[in-house]
Amino acid sequence: MPTLTTLALARTHISHLVVGATVAGSTVSYPFLKPSVADAADLLVATVVTTGSFSALAFELQISPDNGATWENVSSWNAYATSSTTFPVAENTLYRFNCTTFTGGATADVFGSVTSPGSAGATGSTGPTGPAGPTGPSGGPTGPTGGTGPTGATGGTGPTGGTGPTGNTGPAGPTGATGATGATGPTASTPVDFAFFIPGVGSASQIVFRDPLTRAINFPAGAALSQASAGVGAIGTGATAAVYTFKKNVTSFATVTFDAGVSGGTVGTWSAPIGATFAAGDILELDGPTAADATLANIGIVLAGTRL
């Protein structure tokens, strides 16, 4: 088989990293790298799309220290249990996916893009100063009284003796305890992107994606930063436009509409009036239109959210 072209990952583009795998191995896995860019994105977001009924599917993320001559395993992914995951990746370093387990299904494709992790929270404020230590003890005792002067002539009293010297100063009191450390500042939210690819022309009432989430995630009202595009535009318009629906468990919270009257039906229009907050275990589902559009094909959708 000829050498596969090396792909350059991008933040706003979804790359086809494994193309139609039918057995374990890496013969259909494109090598890829993340070039140096200003936004310093350093997380690979990978999503697997399968056909057929799998009972096991796993990949290894491999790195090449010598420009593709040899490969080393750096991470594992149980794609049967989790269809979408993330990996940290270095700039200008060659990677690829190697399918290690392929049982039961027909084909497996892997798509990927890059994003940035959230920044660290601000440092907490300094705690208050501890209380002052107690005052040290008083100085030493008063010196002895001077001796009585000689007896004067009759009628006169002798002078009073002088005061003895002052005693040494007592030792300083102990230093007060250090005050408690201030509370840590809040952690910045981490962006999370869910990428979906629907190859070819979809089918009627197609369930594109349905998985429980492993952690709490919020998808904002208005679907800020979310994207949707198609390689081939829709022909339906108005009431017959193709509508893809996102659900939390069984409740809709966002839609993407491909209408032939908007950018030739190749750009999706988002509607998310209320957004949705998912707890760990809640089901995220993406459903296709009840009646499939005859020409709409090769759809890529990225749903943007934040980890709580």
Side-chain angles (χ1 to χ4, degrees), residues 172-259:
T175 303
T178 302
T181 302
T184 303
T187 302
S189 60
T190 301
V192 177
D193 293 336
F194 285 78
F196 310 91
F197 178 72
I198 308 167
V201 176
S203 57
S205 300
Q206 179 179 11
I207 298 177
V208 177
F209 178 86
R210 185 183 185 279
D211 263 334
L213 302 189
T214 59
R215 54 179 53 86
I217 293 176
N218 179 64
F219 299 104
L225 301 179
S226 296
Q227 303 288 330
S229 66
V232 180
I235 60 172
T237 184
T240 61
V243 179
Y244 284 81
T245 303
F246 285 93
K247 294 180 180 178
K248 173 186 173 182
N249 297 323
V250 296
T251 303
S252 300
F253 68 91
T255 61
V256 181
T257 301
F258 291 89
D259 191 307

Side-chain angles (χ1 to χ4, degrees), residues 125-152:
S125 57
T126 302
T129 304
T135 304
S138 301
T142 303
T145 304
T148 303
T151 303

Side-chain angles (χ1 to χ4, degrees), residues 61-66 70-74 90 93-96:
L61 181 64
Q62 297 182 325
I63 188 172
S64 176
D66 47 18
T70 61
W71 295 88
E72 302 172 359
N73 296 331
V74 295
T93 302
L94 201 60
Y95 294 89
R96 75 176 181 185

